[in-house]
Every structure is written in C-alpha cells, then in structure tokens.
Amino acid sequence: MADVLLILFTLVTCMTISKAADKHGYCLPPYSAINLCDRTWTLIFENDETGAPLSGTKEDLKQAVLRGAELRVLLKDMMVEPSSMVTHTFSSGVDNINIRGDNICCEILSHVATAGFESVIDAHWRFFLPCTTGSVHVAQYYVESADFLSEETQRARIAWYAKEIQHDLYNNRPLFAHFLDGGSTVGNKEDLIDAAREGKEIRALMTDRGYAFPFQVVAWSDADGRVCGQSNKHLSQKYSGSDIVFNTQTPYMWFSSWSTTGRRDSSRWAVGGVTNRGRGSDYVSLKWFADPCWRHVFTHDNSGNQLRGSRESLVAAIRDGHRVRVVVDNRAMEASFLRVKNNHVSAYFLDELSTKGGRGFDQFDFTTDTYFKFSTAHTTGTFRQYGHFVRNTSTTVSPSMTKQKISWMIDVKPWETILKVNEKGVVIWGQKINVKNAVLKSASIRMSIEFDSTSGTLYLGADNTKVGSAVTDEESVSQSVRVMGDRPIGSYEFELSPVPFWVFLVVPTTGNVHLSGWQMGRHHRFFHRSVPASVVWFANL
C-alpha cells in the first residue's frame, strides 16, 4: 500500500509541480544533464493573424526568453516574396528579442528578397520584425546602399519555437549576472571566463529592458579577467502601439560591445554606412548565459601541428553537418561558413568590428572610425584578417596574415542528414519532403555544397528557408547571405577577394544553386546566375 501511495504521490507531483512530461506523457525530471543537448525545437506559443493564442501562452514564451533560450519563428502563409501573390511559410532564427508588455517582438535581418528559386535581380534587404500580436513589419533597403525602398505591415499566423540551454527548465538563473558597476549578483565571473575560453556560445539579457540577444564575438582579458561580447545585428526600432517596428525615418545599425565591468559601448551607423548616427558609452546590468553544447575537437600550434584532439575529428564533424567555433587570440567566434579541401578546414568570420585594444578601461570599445573585421582561420595555422570601414566599405584596412595557435569546437547537438541531391537535381538519398517537414518543425538547416573540386566543399547554415503553402508543393528554398567571395591559395587555404564582394546564395531542393554577387561599398552587381551543384541537407530538429 505504501508503494502505491508513493507512486501516486510522484505522479501528482509531476503533473502539478514540475509539469515536465515527454511526448508520451511520462514524467520527466526538471533537472537532467543527460538529454540537454538532444532537446528539440519546441513549440512554445502560436498566435493567429490578430494575435489571439492558438497554442501555448505568451507568458511561457516570455519565460523561455528570460531563461536565455534560443528562439526560432515560423511565419505561416505569408507574402514572403515582394510583389507576389503566392504565399509561403518562412522559417528563421532571430537576431534579437524585445519584450514589450505582454508581447514579444524580434528582428530577422539575414534575408535578401527572393523570387522563386533565386534572388531578385536588383538585390535588396527584406527585413522582418514579427510580434506576438500577429504583426510582421517589413522594411526594404537596397544592398550596399542607403536607399530606402519600401515598408509594409502584414498580418500572419506565427509559431514561436524555443531551444532551452538550461539544465533546469524551471530555473532562469544565468551563468553570471552583474550590476551596472560590474558587481556580481549571480554566479562567478570565473565560470563565464571558462565558458568563453572553451568557445561556448554566449547570450545575454537586459532584464530591465526585456532585451535578449546573442554575442557574435566573445573576447576576454587575461590581465584583469574581463569578458566582453559584441552584438552587431540590430536595426533601429520604435514603438507602435503594442508592436515594435523598424524605425524607417532614421534607420541605423546599432553595434554594441558589453563588458562584465558593466560598460557598454555603442556605435551607430546609418543603413548602408557613410553616415555616423552617434556613438557613446554607458553602464548597464546584464545577465550572461552560456550554451554548454559545444565540445573541443582540435587544437594545433601556429604551424598546424596537432596539440590536442585531431583534425580528422573536426573534418568528420563538419561533414556530418555540425557548426564550428574557434578560439584564437583571446576571442571566440562562430564560423559564418566553412570550406573543406584536401582534409583541411578554412573558416570564415564576418561579424566582428574593430576595437581600441590595449589594457585600459576602454579596451573593448569600438574604434572611433569603426571598421568591419573579417577573418579566416585555417587548420594549417594561418590566420588572415581584413578590414573595411563602415563609413565606406570599399575603403580597406591593410590585410594581415599571421600564424596562430587555434582551438576548434563543434556543437554536439544532433544533426541528421535528410536529403542528398546531385548536380543534375536527382535525389540520391532521402526525399525532398524531408526538408519541408523539417522546416515546418522550425528545424535549423545546414547544407554542404560542392560546385567543383578546386573550391573544395562549402558548408554553411541556412539563414532562412521558405516552403510553399500548397500541400502538393514539396520543394524547399534556403538562403544564406553571410558569404564573401574568395579564391584558393595553394592546396589547403583560401583568401578573400582583393575586391570584396558578397555572395547571396539561394539553395532550392532542385539541384541548382543561385548566386548573386554584389560589391562591398557600392550597389553594383558582379553576377547573377544559377550553377549546378551537389547539395546535402542537414537538420537539427
């Protein structure tokens, strides 16, 4: 009898207190390290076009944000393409999150307008700002230009997915938090430094503003133990009733650098560069969260000689679809894209901005004349850096090449191979519907693309993916916009083009990859064409 009572008590406790259950309804412990990295993208909330809830609650979504969870959104049956009468469902990660009262809004900035299976001829950014009210604000600007094209507000059914990074699903305790003077409120700064040195992905939250965002670059000082993160993906916003919309009257990109001393440095530049919209520093309180699902696989010396792990393990993980971060010169970054050639890896980093350096209190502040700092890391030990001024990206900083000790990390979340298509568009493994089904679950998508043997194999994540609303339409179309033109150097390495240009890739499940090349600093198209390629699709569900 006592055993029966104990079982009943356990079931009641699970149902009324922990509320944790798997898809079969079985009780799960609220704290578990075993399956942390295997967690799936979970639907937290879904609203209709008016903002009315269809599934879950806004409070659940808000609490996920406050726990440091990563979000993805699914914009259902929306006019994704400009001037189109055809609707699509659009899946994307988000660049930043704002809590406004009872509502959540977020920015989607890595999206260039498309038409069917290719970019539009006169390329322009098509930014989305969805809110739980059902509103999706759309702003369009020509690429590499300050010219504003148009704006509109659509209403859409929106599904909000989260992937938790906390062991305990009912704990919003960050790894570290501090007052505006840098004094600790939660945790130890040493734990944050360790996470940074281990290449972990780090996110942050301003609780007083309800603003959450990832860091594209994490740096630290061995001299005094400071940690700093750069957040460089934010387009100016304003309030509009219960919504947040893009500020198209004074549009600017906000680059921000956040330190564990509480110091925040900001650099604002008008869309398209050229005009400085102001810069300054202040002090803020902040919560820091670290995603534990990253593992070291390889460290080499400045000549590429193995120190820990193995290059073979790194290459194998990349070929299985995994993401990559590197630690080099006291900073950690995730690769925007990768090339594998002759079993060597070249990684490209495109989201860093220049800082003052030195050892002063403003070490991590942006330089007054801020410039984009692009880098390439190679398993040969070569590390290249390039600079392009924000005010005029065609004006460059002299490139440098050094030999560095580099540590390579991979994410340990499960990536499944879901489709292989050859250069003729013939499916050689899986089914096209696999990609569409993954997208409709808001899965993260990655791809490997092989054009020819001289360029090696390209590995990159999909910034967004659209699928047709019609049930009979099995095609999916992914887009990657954070790629730069490069060329091979020797048997193992690559370098960025001396005349810098962006390459916007549209990758449908038909076999052809559409490439649109645009010069940095000018609204000038280099090419616009479709190229046959072998493509492998991976999904993190």
Side-chain angles (χ1 to χ4, degrees):
M1 183 66 179
D3 291 341
V4 173
L5 290 175
L6 178 61
I7 292 171
L8 289 173
F9 175 77
T10 302
L11 289 173
V12 170
T13 301
C14 174
M15 295 170 63
T16 61
I17 299 177
S18 78
K19 301 179 184 177
D22 69 4
K23 63 184 179 181
H24 302 294
Y26 298 131
C27 187
L28 296 176
Y31 182 93
S32 173
I34 298 174
N35 296 318
L36 171 63
C37 300
D38 293 333
R39 288 174 181 161
T40 60
W41 289 100
T42 303
L43 177 63
I44 303 297
F45 178 67
E46 185 171 0
N47 57 264
D48 68 10
E49 295 84 350
T50 68
L54 298 173
S55 175
T57 68
K58 292 180 183 179
E59 182 61 25
D60 290 338
L61 181 60
K62 178 180 178 180
Q63 291 304 317
V65 173
L66 295 178
R67 288 193 296 269
E70 185 179 359
L71 295 191
R72 290 185 64 84
V73 295
L74 206 60
L75 309 179
K76 297 187 175 183
D77 301 331
M78 181 179 143
M79 297 293 184
V80 174
E81 301 177 355
S83 305
S84 174
M85 299 303 293
V86 179
T87 62
H88 292 86
T89 292
F90 180 90
S91 174
S92 176
V94 303
D95 293 301
N96 55 73
I97 306 163
N98 263 297
I99 300 173
R100 175 152 169 75
D102 294 331
N103 288 299
I104 306 288
C105 299
C106 59
E107 288 190 336
I108 299 172
L109 303 179
S110 296
H111 178 226
V112 171
T114 59
F117 295 163
E118 60 184 56
S119 301
V120 295
I121 294 176
D122 199 1
H124 55 268
W125 296 107
R126 188 165 165 84
F127 301 132
F128 293 151
L129 206 166
C131 294
T132 50
T133 60
S135 167
V136 181
H137 191 232
V138 183
Q140 300 190 115
Y141 298 85
Y142 287 108
V143 301
E144 294 302 310
S145 169
D147 291 343
F148 172 66
L149 182 58
S150 68
E151 66 178 312
E152 62 175 319
T153 298
Q154 297 189 33
R155 310 296 301 186
R157 180 177 171 181
I158 307 172
W160 303 77
Y161 288 77
K163 181 160 286 197
E164 301 280 357
I165 61 173
Q166 295 274 25
H167 287 285
D168 183 351
L169 294 181
Y170 305 101
N171 171 30
N172 62 3
R173 177 185 172 92
L175 183 63
F176 179 67
H178 57 76
F179 291 116
L180 55 83
D181 64 355
S184 173
T185 60
V186 176
N188 298 310
K189 188 170 64 174
E190 290 73 19
D191 293 334
L192 179 61
I193 295 172
D194 288 343
R197 287 173 174 158
E198 292 167 1
K200 301 289 194 291
E201 184 178 12
I202 295 177
R203 308 177 61 83
L205 171 70
M206 285 184 71
T207 49
D208 56 338
R209 296 292 180 90
Y211 179 61
F213 53 95
F215 290 122
Q216 283 77 49
V217 181
V218 179
W220 57 91
S221 168
D222 289 331
D224 57 19
R226 276 178 297 165
V227 179
C228 177
Q230 285 190 11
S231 172
N232 298 326
K233 294 185 178 181
H234 181 105
L235 183 61
S236 55
Q237 308 169 350
K238 65 180 182 180
Y239 296 134
S240 177
S242 299
D243 297 322
I244 296 175
V245 298
F246 292 116
N247 180 2
T248 55
Q249 285 70 45
T250 313
Y252 60 84
M253 300 300 296
W254 175 38
F255 308 130
S256 53
S257 174
W258 311 66
S259 171
T260 48
T261 62
R263 185 175 178 83
R264 175 179 63 178
D265 189 57
S266 298
S267 182
R268 299 174 178 86
W269 291 84
V271 171
V274 183
T275 305
N276 188 330
R277 292 295 187 193
R279 57 164 298 119
S281 300
D282 59 357
Y283 288 82
V284 297
S285 57
L286 199 67
K287 291 183 176 181
W288 303 67
F289 299 86
D291 184 344
C293 298
W294 290 85
R295 178 171 60 85
H296 171 271
V297 288
F298 182 45
T299 296
H300 55 74
D301 65 14
N302 58 13
S303 296
N305 298 313
Q306 174 185 347
L307 296 176
R308 289 177 55 208
S310 71
R311 177 161 47 87
E312 291 75 16
S313 296
L314 172 63
V315 171
I318 292 171
R319 287 175 172 160
D320 284 340
H322 290 272
R323 297 154 60 196
V324 170
R325 292 176 65 85
V326 303
V327 173
V328 57
D329 195 24
N330 278 31
R331 64 192 193 273
M333 306 172 284
E334 182 173 351
S336 297
F337 65 101
L338 304 147
R339 287 193 187 274
V340 175
K341 182 180 179 182
N342 296 329
N343 287 319
H344 273 275
V345 179
S346 296
Y348 299 71
F349 307 93
L350 308 179
D351 296 315
E352 185 178 12
L353 276 92
S354 57
T355 55
K356 293 180 178 179
R359 293 193 174 185
F361 70 94
D362 59 353
Q363 172 184 354
F364 297 114
D365 286 8
F366 297 116
T367 52
T368 302
D369 197 358
T370 315
Y371 58 88
F372 295 108
K373 195 173 180 181
F374 302 147
S375 306
T376 62
H378 309 265
T379 47
T380 58
T382 300
F383 188 70
R384 292 183 170 89
Q385 296 185 94
Y386 309 79
H388 302 274
F389 287 102
V390 177
R391 59 176 164 80
N392 184 353
T393 49
S394 61
T395 303
T396 63
V397 177
S398 296
S400 66
M401 186 186 78
T402 57
K403 302 293 283 186
Q404 296 277 358
K405 173 185 174 182
I406 303 174
S407 293
W408 302 75
M409 284 72 179
I410 61 164
D411 76 319
V412 292
K413 296 171 183 176
W415 288 89
E416 299 179 17
T417 302
I418 55 175
L419 179 67
K420 295 181 180 180
V421 178
N422 68 16
E423 70 280 0
K424 297 179 181 179
V426 177
V427 174
I428 58 176
W429 192 92
Q431 297 177 307
K432 291 184 179 182
I433 195 65
N434 293 349
V435 180
K436 182 173 184 177
N437 288 340
V439 171
L440 293 177
K441 295 177 182 177
S442 207
S444 299
I445 300 294
R446 288 184 64 80
M447 299 160 290
S448 77
I449 303 173
E450 186 170 353
F451 296 105
D452 57 69
S453 58
T454 61
S455 60
T457 304
L458 178 69
Y459 294 85
L460 71 174
D463 291 312
N464 58 76
T465 305
K466 65 180 181 182
V467 297
S469 297
V471 177
T472 55
D473 185 356
E474 293 189 354
E475 301 290 355
S476 302
V477 184
S478 288
Q479 182 182 68
S480 295
V481 300
R482 301 295 293 169
V483 176
M484 292 202 71
D486 61 349
R487 61 186 184 184
I489 295 291
S491 300
Y492 307 116
E493 298 180 8
F494 295 82
E495 67 175 3
L496 296 183
S497 169
V499 179
F501 63 94
W502 295 104
V503 183
F504 305 133
L505 287 82
V506 177
V507 189
T509 47
T510 58
N512 277 354
V513 175
H514 188 267
L515 307 174
S516 185
W518 289 82
Q519 183 177 348
M520 282 191 68
R522 291 181 57 201
H523 185 68
H524 174 67
R525 185 176 64 245
F526 278 173
F527 51 82
H528 185 83
R529 62 175 181 265
S530 290
V531 180
S534 299
V535 182
V536 180
W537 301 70
F538 309 95
N540 173 231
L541 297 166

